[in-house]
Amino acid sequence: MSKTLTLADIPSQAGKRILITGANSGIGYYAAFTLARKGAHVILACRDRRKGEVALTRLATEAPGTGTELAILDLASLASVRDFAARQLDGGQPIDILINNAGVMAPPKHRQTADGFELQFGTNVLGHFALTGLLLPALQQAAAQTSEAPRIVTIASIAHKRGRVNFDDLQYKQNYGPMKSYQQSKLANLMLALEMDRRLRAVGSNILSVAAHPGVANTNLFQTGERSAVANAARKVMGYLIGAFLNTEAEGALPTLYAATYSGVTGGGYYGPQGFQEMCGDEIGPAKIAPQANDNAAAARLWNVCEELTGVRFL
């Protein structure tokens, strides 16, 4: 079922604790802004303290009186992920909704995380995989305290349709391609979200694992990166055109908000805009899943690989 989503359609989130990675800008910021306005206490998990503080100041101006906090998290470092998760669990509070939003998109040159993984796979996939596993006790705590199912929302992309999981060289040490690696990471995000829901159902959990994609939106993920001044200028112009004719950042956040709050969402669902080629629009509903994302055997294999690479085992 699809639905045109407006702020009025989003139910009250009062009493909920919601954690959003990469919430200092773009889709993450607008999701945080909307959910805070709906009464949630929102944790902005950001890598850059200065940018996170700027986002908090902006929220105080645009959504005064709402409950938000900044927590520092570098998804490109498993040590940072473990420290962050430990601090969250030490607080003894539940997490009602976890939104795995942060991401790296198509750096022109092969780069590595602190742990030696290719930057996009290490950040987009392994960082979020480890974070989710380590924070699972807080989600289980929420499940025990309320009848409403906690949710894990993973942000994928229509780019997953062109992706292939290269099990022989997940880190693309050979023949690195910026978009090829990005497509792999977004396919992996979707596969793991679907696999997670299957595993949650198998153990009788009421936690929902769902995925969403923003279509094509003008976000800083598209605009920034280590490129020449000319290339960055061209991308900013393209970003303006995307915002004018496809989705703005705020519109790009609608599928995330739908997946996180809409009552009709089901575990294992994948949601996105219903406009032209799934690229735009404020009508949100089930998104198309490429056949390779529905390969359950490959998803189980990928899950096992992620456990081995991160040292985080759950479900």
Side-chain angles (χ1 to χ4, degrees):
M1 177 181 177
S2 62
K3 180 176 179 60
T4 299
L5 196 67
T6 66
L7 182 62
D9 295 318
I10 298 172
S12 171
Q13 301 297 299
K16 292 184 179 179
R17 294 183 77 247
I18 301 176
L19 194 154
I20 307 175
T21 66
N24 58 278
S25 64
I27 290 168
Y29 175 82
Y30 281 99
F33 165 77
T34 303
L35 294 168
R37 286 185 63 190
K38 285 294 180 174
H41 181 84
V42 181
I43 303 158
L44 284 69
C46 306
R47 179 179 60 83
D48 187 300
R49 181 177 294 278
R50 183 188 64 80
K51 291 180 180 179
E53 289 172 346
V54 169
L56 281 183
T57 301
R58 181 181 173 191
L59 282 168
T61 300
E62 297 180 348
T66 55
T68 56
E69 66 176 277
L70 173 64
I72 304 304
L73 167 67
D74 182 359
L75 288 162
S77 164
L78 290 176
S80 175
V81 173
R82 288 182 182 278
D83 288 346
F84 174 89
R87 291 195 302 272
Q88 290 297 316
L89 296 182
D90 285 346
Q93 297 187 74
I95 294 175
D96 297 277
I97 302 172
L98 170 62
I99 300 177
N100 290 325
N101 163 79
V104 177
M105 182 180 180
K109 296 181 180 179
H110 189 283
R111 295 176 57 198
Q112 293 185 340
T113 69
D115 305 285
F117 305 124
E118 187 275 319
L119 185 62
Q120 296 181 91
F121 192 81
T123 303
N124 301 355
V125 182
L126 297 177
H128 279 127
F129 180 87
L131 179 69
T132 302
L134 293 168
L135 290 180
L136 190 60
L139 289 152
Q140 292 170 329
Q141 183 181 348
Q145 294 178 356
T146 178
S147 59
E148 188 173 351
R151 302 186 190 190
I152 300 164
V153 180
T154 299
I155 305 307
S157 168
I158 54 176
H160 90 272
K161 296 177 183 179
R162 293 182 175 272
R164 295 292 184 275
V165 177
N166 183 4
F167 284 106
D168 294 329
D169 186 14
L170 285 172
Q171 312 307 327
Y172 274 110
K173 295 179 180 179
Q174 305 292 328
N175 301 317
Y176 172 77
M179 281 306 298
K180 183 168 58 175
S181 176
Y182 179 71
Q183 290 160 353
Q184 172 182 251
S185 76
K186 291 290 101 179
L187 172 60
N189 281 151
L190 181 54
M191 292 171 70
L192 290 170
L194 302 181
E195 177 67 10
M196 189 180 307
D197 196 72
R198 287 190 288 269
R199 291 177 181 238
L200 287 165
R201 300 289 74 74
V203 299
S205 175
N206 72 335
I207 299 171
L208 303 181
S209 173
V210 300
H213 76 83
V216 180
N218 177 25
T219 72
N220 68 332
L221 188 67
F222 177 80
Q223 295 180 22
T224 60
E226 296 180 355
R227 299 174 178 85
S228 68
V230 172
N232 277 331
R235 289 173 75 88
K236 286 184 178 180
V237 171
M238 184 62 70
Y240 172 80
L241 295 173
I242 287 172
F245 296 103
L246 294 173
N247 282 337
T248 62
E249 293 175 327
E251 290 166 335
L254 292 176
T256 299
L257 294 166
Y258 182 100
T261 67
Y262 183 51
S263 61
V265 164
T266 59
Y270 178 43
Y271 304 96
Q274 304 294 289
F276 178 71
Q277 295 293 309
E278 298 188 290
M279 291 192 295
C280 59
D282 57 4
E283 183 179 348
I284 311 301
K288 296 176 182 177
I289 300 176
Q292 64 269 31
N294 273 324
D295 185 334
N296 292 3
R301 179 184 179 188
L302 179 62
W303 184 283
N304 291 336
V305 169
C306 289
E307 287 188 330
E308 292 174 5
L309 293 176
T310 63
V312 178
R313 291 173 169 80
F314 62 108
L315 297 177

